[in-house]
Amino acid sequence: MSFSEVQSRIDAALAEAGRPKGAARLVAVSKVQPLERVEAVLAAGHRLFGENRVQEAAGKWPALRERFPGVELHLLGPLQTNKIKPALELFDAIQSLDRPALAEKLAAAVQGRGACPQLFVQVNTGEEPQKAGVAPGEADAFIARCRAMDLPVAGLMAIPPAEEEPALHFALLAKIAERNGLTELSMGMSADYETAVRLGATLVRVGSAIFGERAYN
């Protein structure tokens, strides 16, 4: 499936939900993908990409950005506190703000830097012990804490449990965002992005449906 076909499906889901075209943007998840596949999507005109690891992104995106102006890069995976400085320099958005210690370190780094990427609080909607993210019941307090530190929280991100109906988790995330006055919702991946769009996603994270299976070494 090409990125243009995925985009067409997003547009169709938006129309079905009565939402305007462009209300949900496609984040092409390029982690551990061969460079030629990423270059092909860039050459086709797409400019919004997501990576899971700071180190991997740092190894390929500075050179790609020189060749393809206008790239917007999002960090989707966990951010270690010792990688904050390069992450702030490399990413336009960090979608994995998931714990108080990270918020505090980010706030200190941002204060010294004077600028900050767009931030998304990651909510562990399934309360899965193996997954990062703030529990739904703690999300309001965590968002307030981040705002008190002047962190620019734009929205929420979630990865629903693989074995559960994703629509329930997307609806929960949308409710948390609404009551906190947040307008951005990053939810939906290759298997369920159309459902996410119908339930209010403003960003969907699609990798294998665009690039094919990942090339893990």
Side-chain angles (χ1 to χ4, degrees), residues 27-39 41 48-61 64 73-78 91 122 131 157 159 189-190 205-217:
V27 181
V29 182
S30 48
K31 66 178 183 180
V32 295
Q33 289 289 353
L35 197 58
E36 61 269 19
R37 294 184 190 175
V38 180
E39 289 173 333
V41 175
L48 177 53
F49 290 81
E51 289 282 344
N52 267 37
R53 297 177 62 212
V54 176
Q55 192 171 348
E56 183 188 347
K60 69 186 180 192
W61 280 103
L64 286 171
L73 194 59
H74 289 214
L75 177 64
L76 307 177
F91 293 98
Q122 182 172 349
K131 273 189 188 168
M157 184 270 261
I159 305 168
M189 297 186 287
S190 288
R205 310 179 305 271
V206 181
S208 56
I210 297 172
F211 296 105
E213 291 305 309
R214 295 189 177 97
Y216 290 101
N217 292 326

Side-chain angles (χ1 to χ4, degrees), residues 139-205:
D140 294 356
F142 183 67
I143 292 163
R145 186 171 177 176
C146 291
R147 285 172 165 164
M149 289 187 274
D150 290 327
L151 289 173
V153 178
L156 305 177
M157 184 270 261
I159 305 168
E163 69 283 357
E164 293 186 19
E165 171 52 57
L168 300 174
H169 295 270
F170 298 154
L172 172 60
L173 197 71
K175 282 182 182 176
I176 297 170
E178 184 179 16
R179 69 173 179 251
N180 284 283
L182 296 171
T183 57
E184 296 285 344
L185 280 172
S186 175
M187 57 190 198
M189 297 186 287
S190 288
D192 54 25
Y193 65 90
E194 290 161 285
T195 300
V197 169
R198 287 191 286 268
L199 288 169
T202 61
L203 293 164
V204 293
R205 310 179 305 271

